[in-house]
């Protein structure tokens, strides 16, 4: 073999290398495994003094771009392999030329990193900025714990369901914020967990550990970008009081101090302001959920649904908002994936192009009931019945009952979707909602409507303790 180096202004090859074997000067210094290097050598040896056709059949073993150890460090090279033939079409020489593209590749990597960073920053700026802090706090804490467990103890089969719910919820929340790289990484973790759930003996814990580490790294990069570019705009307490409100308080307190006004006329408005600061107005929360629904719909290529709240409540506590966030993200995804017809079908049925999700709040003794209903086609009863039979939940000839439908929908791993999509098919959503509610001393139930052509409208009812909600009547008396 004969080699031709074209490495101008480079210390990769010097005059002292002339006459040395290509293996010693080049191949043995490549950053690749021993088997890959041997494939290159074998391919070159096989081609020499043979018909050019033999070279063409083996040339795929000859790399076009490589990374190499050199006296000036690691370098990226583009390699050209040019066979030279004689009159009999046999390969007599192979000329090898190199072009150093290290700086060019680094520039491309820097540009890709900059583009990635700007894209993520735009996603953060489009998100609910005040809620990002608590999202990162929850998600990074979860991922730190799960990565620690997977590295040291290993994820056991019995913990797969719990981790599945956590990751599926994180995926939904990140999608609702528009943080696409996090939601995509969550989806990859789910793929590994799905294999573990279906065939425990064939899954690879190390693969799960690596996917969790990758997810943690992506979430951390988003968080660092948030802290650097956005987080400094908000205080650690997440309680922001604008200057106009502070000046109004100051003025009112001065009047009270001078005894120039009735105390109730001063304290009422101040308490009203404080109440708005420490709680979340329901109108504001509805707007947030509408933005969530829009982002989830865009990510999953669905039409944006309209979110409607019907409530006697004016405010939600922040703990209740956190709980509802985790529940509603699954309910919205289920409505989009299972409930709503396509826009074309909705028009044919005389429905509005965009579906609606209605949340109703009502008191029931010391509890608050939240009903969630959408105007889609409802539950696919035949699909649920078929899957129930496949899983042995129904005997031959037995018809499905409302009680069994409820059991199926709230069972881990049960889904009427035959294919997994970005938002559905895992059989985790309602199982996760049930788990979150039980942890808050609540529960969930299913109310079925009138069946029509194998579909049945339904309403989910979330039953929660009344103490999770601000005492509206006491508040109104307090500020009156």
């Amino acid at each position: 073999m004969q080699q031709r180096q074209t490495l101008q202004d480079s210390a990769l090859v010097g005059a002292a290398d002339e006459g040395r074997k290509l293996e010693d000067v080049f191949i043995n210094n490549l950053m690749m495994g021993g088997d890959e290097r041997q494939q290159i050598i074998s391919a070159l040896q096989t081609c020499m003094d043979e018909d050019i056709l033999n070279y063409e059949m083996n040339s795929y073993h000859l790399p076009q771009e490589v990374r190499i150890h050199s006296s000036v460090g690691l370098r990226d090279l583009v390699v050209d392999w040019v066979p030279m033939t004689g009159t009999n079409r046999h390969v007599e020489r192979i000329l090898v030329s190199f072009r150093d593209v290290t700086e060019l590749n680094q520039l491309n990597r820097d540009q890709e990193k900059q583009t990635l960073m700007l894209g993520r920053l735009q996603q953060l700026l489009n998100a609910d900025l005040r809620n990002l802090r608590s999202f990162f706090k929850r998600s990074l804490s979860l991922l730190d714990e799960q990565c620690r467990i997977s590295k040291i103890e290993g994820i056991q089969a019995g913990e797969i369901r719990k981790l599945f719910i956590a990751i599926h919820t994180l995926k939904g929340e990140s999608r609702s914020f528009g943080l696409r790289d996090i939601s995509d990484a969550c989806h990859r973790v789910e793929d590994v967990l799905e294999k573990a759930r279906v065939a425990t003996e064939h899954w690879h814990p190390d693969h799960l550990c690596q996917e969790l580490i990758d997810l943690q790294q992506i979430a951390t990069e988003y968080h660092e970008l948030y802290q650097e570019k956005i987080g400094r705009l908000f205080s650690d307490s997440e309680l922001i009081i604008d200057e106009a409100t502070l000046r109004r308080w100051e003025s009112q307190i001065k009047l009270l101090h001078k005894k120039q006004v009735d105390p109730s006329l001063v304290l009422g408005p101040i308490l009203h302001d404080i109440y708005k600061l420490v709680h979340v107005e329901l109108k504001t929360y509805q707007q947030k959920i509408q933005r969530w629904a829009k982002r989830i719909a865009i990510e999953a290529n669905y039409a944006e649904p309209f979110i409607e709240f019907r409530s006697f409540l004016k405010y939600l506590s922040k703990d209740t908002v956190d709980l509802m966030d985790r529940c509603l993200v699954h309910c919205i995804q289920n409505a989009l994936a299972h409930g709503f017809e396509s826009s074309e079908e909705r028009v044919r049925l005389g429905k509005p192009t965009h579906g609606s999700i209605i949340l109703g709040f009502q008191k029931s003794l010391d509890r608050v009931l939240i009903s969630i209903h959408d105007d889609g086609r409802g539950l696919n009863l035949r699909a649920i019945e078929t899957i129930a039979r496949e899983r042995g939940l129904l005997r031959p000839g037995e018809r499905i009952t409302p009680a069994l439908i409820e059991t199926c929908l709230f069972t881990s791993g049960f889904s009427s979707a035959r294919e997994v999509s970005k938002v559905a098919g895992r059989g985790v959503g309602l199982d996760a909602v049930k788990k979150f509610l039980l942890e808050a001393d609540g529960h969930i139930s299913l109310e079925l409507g009138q069946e029509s052509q194998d579909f049945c409208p339904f309403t989910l009812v979330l039953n929660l303790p009344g103490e999770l909600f601000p005492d509206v009547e006491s508040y109104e008396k307090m500020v009156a």
Side-chain angles (χ1 to χ4, degrees), residues 47-52 84-93:
C47 297
M48 296 304 299
D49 299 322
E50 297 291 338
D51 189 274
I52 185 66
M84 310 296 292
T85 61
T87 56
N88 59 356
R89 286 178 47 84
H90 282 206
V91 176
E92 296 179 350
R93 295 179 300 167

Side-chain angles (χ1 to χ4, degrees), residues 115-133:
T115 301
L116 177 66
M117 186 273 288
L118 290 175
R120 288 177 174 178
L121 180 59
Q122 187 62 55
Q123 293 169 25
L124 290 169
L125 290 172
N126 290 337
D128 298 297
L129 297 181
R130 294 182 186 275
N131 296 301
L132 278 175
R133 186 187 297 276

Side-chain angles (χ1 to χ4, degrees), residues 10 177 216 238 268 284 442 461-462 470:
S10 174
F177 281 111
Q216 181 188 40
E238 303 180 29
T284 302
V461 180
L462 282 54

Side-chain angles (χ1 to χ4, degrees), residues 153 210 234 238 446:
E153 304 169 18
Q210 187 56 55
F234 300 98
E238 303 180 29
L446 179 72

Side-chain angles (χ1 to χ4, degrees), residues 163-428:
L163 179 57
F164 219 138
I165 289 175
I167 296 299
H168 195 67
T169 303
L170 176 59
K171 182 176 77 170
E173 287 192 274
S174 59
R175 180 174 288 114
S176 70
F177 281 111
L179 310 182
R180 289 188 289 273
D181 293 342
I182 297 180
S183 63
D184 289 345
C186 287
H187 196 76
R188 292 191 291 272
V189 174
E190 286 183 329
D191 286 339
V192 180
L193 289 170
E194 183 69 25
K195 293 177 182 177
R197 188 167 66 177
V198 174
T200 306
E201 67 276 11
H202 297 304
W203 80 298
H204 302 287
D206 291 345
H207 190 189
L208 173 61
C209 180
Q210 187 56 55
E211 291 291 354
L212 282 171
I213 292 172
D214 291 345
L215 171 57
Q216 181 188 40
Q217 177 62 31
I218 292 171
T220 300
E221 290 171 358
Y222 268 99
H223 183 231
E224 290 175 348
L225 185 60
Y226 166 79
Q227 286 186 310
E228 179 184 352
K229 304 295 184 181
I230 301 171
R232 63 177 180 269
L233 299 176
F234 300 98
S235 67
D236 291 336
S237 66
E238 303 180 29
L239 190 62
I240 311 299
I241 305 176
D242 61 272
E243 184 177 353
T245 298
L246 289 174
R247 290 191 178 279
R248 186 169 65 251
W249 290 358
E250 180 184 25
S251 174
Q252 291 170 329
I253 291 172
K254 283 180 179 178
L255 290 174
L256 183 62
H257 180 69
K258 295 178 180 178
K259 300 180 180 180
Q260 294 178 349
V261 67
D262 184 346
S264 63
L265 297 178
V266 173
L267 293 177
I270 291 177
L271 288 172
H272 177 77
D273 287 337
I274 293 174
Y275 209 84
K276 290 176 65 175
L277 286 169
V278 299
H279 294 89
V280 177
E281 284 190 277
L282 195 70
K283 180 175 65 176
T284 302
Y285 186 64
Q286 179 178 351
Q287 293 169 348
K288 168 188 169 180
I289 297 302
Q290 184 67 63
R291 290 193 298 270
W292 276 27
K294 180 178 181 178
R295 292 197 184 99
I296 293 172
I298 290 173
E299 287 289 316
N301 198 29
Y302 293 113
E304 176 189 352
F306 175 71
I307 307 295
E308 180 182 353
F309 278 33
R310 299 174 180 173
S311 177
F312 66 94
L313 294 168
K314 294 183 179 179
Y315 297 94
L316 296 174
S317 71
K318 292 186 177 180
D319 287 340
T320 305
V321 164
D322 179 61
L323 173 61
M324 290 187 62
D325 281 352
R326 289 180 289 155
C327 292
L328 291 183
V329 71
H330 293 293
C331 294
I332 292 171
Q333 290 184 146
N334 279 346
L336 289 170
H338 300 296
F340 293 128
E341 309 90 341
S342 66
S343 298
E344 295 76 14
E345 186 178 355
R346 289 181 64 85
V347 171
R348 183 175 61 80
L349 294 172
K351 295 182 177 182
T353 304
H354 294 257
S356 295
I357 301 175
I358 301 170
L359 283 82
F361 295 73
Q362 68 178 86
K363 291 181 180 179
S364 178
L365 300 177
D366 61 343
R367 313 286 290 186
V368 172
L369 306 182
I370 306 173
S371 61
I372 305 174
H373 174 77
D374 66 70
D375 68 345
R377 64 170 66 89
L379 298 173
N380 187 336
L381 298 182
R382 298 289 77 80
I384 293 173
E385 183 173 341
T386 299
I387 296 171
R389 291 191 191 284
E390 292 174 356
R391 298 184 62 166
L393 299 175
L394 275 177
R395 293 188 296 271
E398 185 180 8
R399 294 299 302 271
I400 197 164
T401 64
L404 184 55
I405 292 174
E406 182 168 329
T407 299
C408 290
L409 293 182
F410 298 140
T411 297
S412 177
F414 191 98
S415 176
S416 60
R418 286 299 186 179
E419 295 182 358
V420 174
S421 69
K422 286 186 176 182
V423 299
R426 302 289 190 183
V428 175

Side-chain angles (χ1 to χ4, degrees), residues 24-231:
D24 297 333
V25 176
F26 176 61
I27 298 175
N28 289 341
N29 292 321
L30 295 179
M31 284 192 65
M32 58 176 59
D35 291 342
E36 294 175 284
R37 289 195 292 268
Q38 186 56 49
Q39 281 183 338
I40 298 173
I41 295 171
S42 298
L44 292 172
Q45 291 174 340
T46 301
C47 297
M48 296 304 299
D49 299 322
E50 297 291 338
D51 189 274
I52 185 66
L53 180 62
N54 203 37
Y55 170 84
E56 293 172 351
M57 293 176 62
N58 288 275
S59 61
Y60 70 92
H61 288 301
L62 306 177
Q64 305 301 306
E65 188 164 348
V66 297
R67 176 163 284 192
I68 188 171
H69 291 284
S70 74
S71 59
V72 291
L74 293 175
R75 310 298 293 178
D76 295 327
L77 306 178
V78 170
V79 187
D80 291 322
W81 310 83
V82 183
M84 310 296 292
T85 61
T87 56
N88 59 356
R89 286 178 47 84
H90 282 206
V91 176
E92 296 179 350
R93 295 179 300 167
I94 296 179
L95 301 181
V96 186
S97 62
F98 315 102
R99 180 162 54 90
D100 192 333
V101 293
T102 306
E103 282 73 22
L104 177 62
N105 284 356
Q106 185 59 50
L107 285 173
N108 288 335
R109 285 192 291 269
D110 290 344
Q111 185 175 10
E112 289 173 0
K113 185 177 180 181
Q114 182 73 3
T115 301
L116 177 66
M117 186 273 288
L118 290 175
R120 288 177 174 178
L121 180 59
Q122 187 62 55
Q123 293 169 25
L124 290 169
L125 290 172
N126 290 337
D128 298 297
L129 297 181
R130 294 182 186 275
N131 296 301
L132 278 175
R133 186 187 297 276
S134 58
F135 166 76
F136 283 124
K137 183 178 179 180
R138 289 196 310 272
S139 59
L140 292 176
S141 176
L142 164 71
L143 294 174
D144 284 344
E145 177 66 12
Q146 293 303 327
C147 285
R148 184 192 66 79
I149 292 174
S150 64
K151 289 177 189 175
I152 300 174
E153 304 169 18
I155 302 295
Q156 304 302 315
E159 298 172 327
I160 292 174
R161 172 181 171 273
K162 181 179 178 181
L163 179 57
F164 219 138
I165 289 175
I167 296 299
H168 195 67
T169 303
L170 176 59
K171 182 176 77 170
E173 287 192 274
S174 59
R175 180 174 288 114
S176 70
F177 281 111
L179 310 182
R180 289 188 289 273
D181 293 342
I182 297 180
S183 63
D184 289 345
C186 287
H187 196 76
R188 292 191 291 272
V189 174
E190 286 183 329
D191 286 339
V192 180
L193 289 170
E194 183 69 25
K195 293 177 182 177
R197 188 167 66 177
V198 174
T200 306
E201 67 276 11
H202 297 304
W203 80 298
H204 302 287
D206 291 345
H207 190 189
L208 173 61
C209 180
Q210 187 56 55
E211 291 291 354
L212 282 171
I213 292 172
D214 291 345
L215 171 57
Q216 181 188 40
Q217 177 62 31
I218 292 171
T220 300
E221 290 171 358
Y222 268 99
H223 183 231
E224 290 175 348
L225 185 60
Y226 166 79
Q227 286 186 310
E228 179 184 352
K229 304 295 184 181
I230 301 171

